[in-house]
Amino acid sequence: KENIVKNIHSLIKEKFNLNSCVKIEGDKISVTVDDKDASVEKANNIIKEVQSLYDTQMYITVKFQNK
């Protein structure tokens, strides 16, 4: 589980250049990113990238936090 969190952090940093906080509980993943420019498109892109790490459907939420 800790490795998966690190993988998600790395993925978001690499693809979106954003710092993130990731919490995983079962099939639910909550991602909070440091970004004042929140958009539905950016959230959807983050969700797609995180989901690509899994073979089964995960329930992923993305929150934006102002620095």
Side-chain angles (χ1 to χ4, degrees), residues 14 16 27 30-32 36 42 52 55 60 63-64:
E14 183 182 307
F16 303 98
D27 62 353
S30 175
V31 179
T32 303
K36 59 182 182 282
K42 192 179 291 184
S52 73
D55 295 328
I60 303 163
K63 295 178 186 171
F64 292 88

Side-chain angles (χ1 to χ4, degrees), residues 3-66:
N3 266 354
I4 295 170
V5 170
K6 286 180 184 177
N7 287 347
I8 294 172
H9 281 293
S10 298
L11 177 74
I12 293 170
K13 186 69 173 173
E14 183 182 307
K15 297 265 185 177
F16 303 98
N17 197 30
L18 295 171
N19 291 320
S20 61
C21 176
V22 179
K23 184 177 177 184
I24 301 174
E25 289 182 22
D27 62 353
K28 295 176 183 69
I29 302 172
S30 175
V31 179
T32 303
V33 292
D34 286 334
D35 191 0
K36 59 182 182 282
D37 300 321
S39 73
V40 171
E41 182 180 2
K42 192 179 291 184
N44 283 335
N45 289 336
I46 291 170
I47 289 169
K48 286 177 189 173
E49 289 294 334
V50 173
Q51 180 61 57
S52 73
L53 299 173
Y54 293 89
D55 295 328
T56 59
Q57 179 67 42
M58 303 299 283
Y59 299 95
I60 303 163
T61 57
V62 176
K63 295 178 186 171
F64 292 88
Q65 175 179 301
N66 292 339

